[in-house]
């Protein structure tokens, strides 16, 4: 990560500018084949396998993935809690290079269907290539924004997402779209970032903090109020950990360079940035 990248500012109130910065950065990840600063599969944050395992992915699932599907992205492992059944239809929001979609494909089997949605053409190309390498034809990847999902009403049994909703400025729209596409009684399991306190302005306005899942996060109360307003209830928190502490273990160099760039002490954010995995259902 260059000094220019870590110090670039962003206006968090300019939604389209934020979206474009996120798109640019994740395109870089797709081309590099990793979310870190070094060459894939090993980099400054260790192997992508190690990173994914630290988030909670099972080694057996990772071992069965084609090379390039795991970029070391995310803040949890939501699929293990989704309890997918054969024949179900599942949508993965912000599907990246296809890691969760391909794992879900094995769970729902050939009678089921998996739809990955991503706004980054480079990620979509990588995911489609990985699906072809995996030999699965009941997975498809569609280009689209999470605020306007390219999925029909009430056609989905389950929704998952791994550390992507926090990147979207209009989270209310995302939750409304999830409710729209889910069948009545449908469920979601999501890993995402929420805040238990306000971020310093210098962090909120930092591009790398935003695409690193920190600056775009909402306060916990606001996040789950927006979820409830969309008609998604029975929320159960499955995991709740300090995101920065977790990330430091897997990619210390990235975290150190970010804190040096924004010139704040790690202690100022201690306990504020939380990685939560939760389950909810459509009422």
């Amino acid at each position: 990560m260059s000094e220019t990248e870590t110090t670039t500012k962003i206006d968090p109130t300019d939604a389209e500018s934020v979206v474009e910065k996120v798109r640019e950065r994740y395109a870089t990840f797709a081309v590099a084949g990793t979310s870190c600063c070094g060459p894939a599969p090993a980099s400054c944050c260790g192997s992508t396998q190690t990173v994914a395992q630290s988030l909670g992915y099972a080694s057996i699932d990772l071992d069965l993935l084609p090379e390039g599907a795991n970029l070391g992205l995310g803040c949890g492992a939501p699929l293990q809690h989704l309890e997918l059944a054969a024949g179900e239809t599942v949508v993965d929001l912000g599907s990246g290079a296809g890691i969760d979609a391909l794992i879900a494909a094995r769970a729902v089997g050939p009678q089921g269907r998996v739809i990955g949605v991503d706004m980054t053409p480079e990620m979509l190309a990588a995911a489609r290539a990985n699906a072809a390498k995996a030999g699965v034809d009941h997975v498809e990847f569609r280009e689209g924004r999470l605020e306007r999902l390219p999925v029909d009403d009430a056609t989905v049994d389950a929704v998952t997402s791994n550390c992507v909703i926090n990147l979207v400025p209009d989270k209310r729209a995302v939750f409304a779209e999830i409710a729209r596409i889910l069948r009545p009684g449908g469920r979601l399991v999501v890993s995402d970032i929420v805040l238990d306190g306000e971020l310093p302005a210098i962090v909120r306005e930092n591009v790398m903090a935003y695409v690193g899942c920190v600056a775009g996060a909402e306060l916990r109360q606001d996040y789950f109020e927006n979820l409830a307003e969309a008609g998604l209830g029975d929320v159960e928190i499955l995991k709740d950990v300090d995101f920065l502490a977790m990330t430091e273990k897997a990619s210390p160099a990235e975290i150190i360079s970010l804190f040096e760039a924004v010139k704040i002490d790690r202690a100022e954010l201690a306990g504020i940035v939380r990685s939560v995995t939760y389950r909810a259902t459509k009422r």
Side-chain angles (χ1 to χ4, degrees):
M1 187 189 303
S2 70
E3 183 176 352
T4 300
E5 288 177 312
T6 55
T7 56
T8 301
K9 283 192 172 185
I10 192 170
D11 179 359
T13 65
D14 184 348
E16 290 308 309
S17 175
V18 168
V19 168
E20 189 54 38
K21 291 294 184 184
V22 170
R23 193 196 317 266
E24 289 173 2
R25 187 61 180 170
Y26 280 80
T28 301
F29 294 159
V31 172
T34 177
S35 62
C36 302
C37 56
S43 69
C44 59
C45 57
S47 74
T48 54
Q49 180 96 355
T50 300
V51 173
Q53 286 179 314
S54 75
L55 295 175
Y57 284 90
S59 58
I60 188 170
D61 287 330
L62 297 173
D63 290 342
L64 292 172
L65 291 171
E67 185 177 352
N70 172 20
L71 301 184
L73 294 163
C75 57
L79 272 184
Q80 63 178 294
H81 303 286
L82 198 52
E83 299 174 353
L84 292 170
E88 288 193 308
T89 297
V90 57
V91 171
D92 178 17
L93 306 182
S95 47
I99 178 173
D100 289 316
L102 295 177
I103 294 173
R106 291 198 298 274
V108 302
Q111 300 83 14
R113 187 181 186 194
V114 180
I115 301 169
V117 178
D118 205 284
M119 69 173 182
T120 307
E122 292 85 351
M123 281 294 189
L124 290 163
R128 290 165 182 156
N130 288 327
K133 286 187 284 186
V136 292
D137 56 11
H138 57 293
V139 178
E140 63 174 305
F141 295 95
R142 301 177 182 176
E143 183 170 359
R145 297 268 291 269
L146 303 197
E147 311 96 306
R148 298 185 295 276
L149 292 172
V151 181
D152 291 337
D153 296 358
T155 56
V156 174
D157 299 297
V159 169
T160 191
S161 184
N162 193 349
C163 213
V164 177
I165 296 174
N166 67 85
L167 297 171
V168 182
D170 189 354
K171 295 169 182 59
R172 286 184 178 180
V174 177
F175 294 136
E177 282 292 275
I178 293 173
R180 178 183 65 79
I181 67 173
L182 279 173
R183 295 186 174 107
R187 65 202 187 279
L188 64 148
V189 176
V190 169
S191 292
D192 211 358
I193 302 299
V194 297
L195 303 176
D196 281 343
E198 295 286 353
L199 293 174
I202 194 169
V203 177
R204 290 198 311 271
E205 296 169 0
N206 183 273
V207 169
M208 294 314 300
Y210 205 104
V211 300
C213 302
V214 175
E218 281 188 329
L219 290 171
R220 183 188 298 261
Q221 180 175 344
D222 295 342
Y223 185 101
F224 286 108
E225 283 181 356
N226 290 334
L227 186 82
E229 287 175 4
L232 302 167
D234 300 323
V235 175
E236 179 185 0
I237 302 297
L238 304 168
K239 188 175 182 179
D240 187 341
V241 299
D242 186 317
F243 175 66
L244 294 179
M246 178 180 72
T247 305
E248 280 177 325
K249 293 179 182 178
S251 51
E254 293 286 294
I255 293 295
I256 291 170
S257 64
L258 179 58
F259 275 106
E260 288 177 347
V262 297
K263 294 180 173 58
I264 65 169
D265 189 89
R266 167 70 177 83
E268 293 184 55
L269 294 182
I272 291 178
V273 185
R274 308 296 298 181
S275 167
V276 297
T277 298
Y278 64 90
R279 179 187 290 118
T281 57
K282 179 178 177 178
R283 299 189 184 107

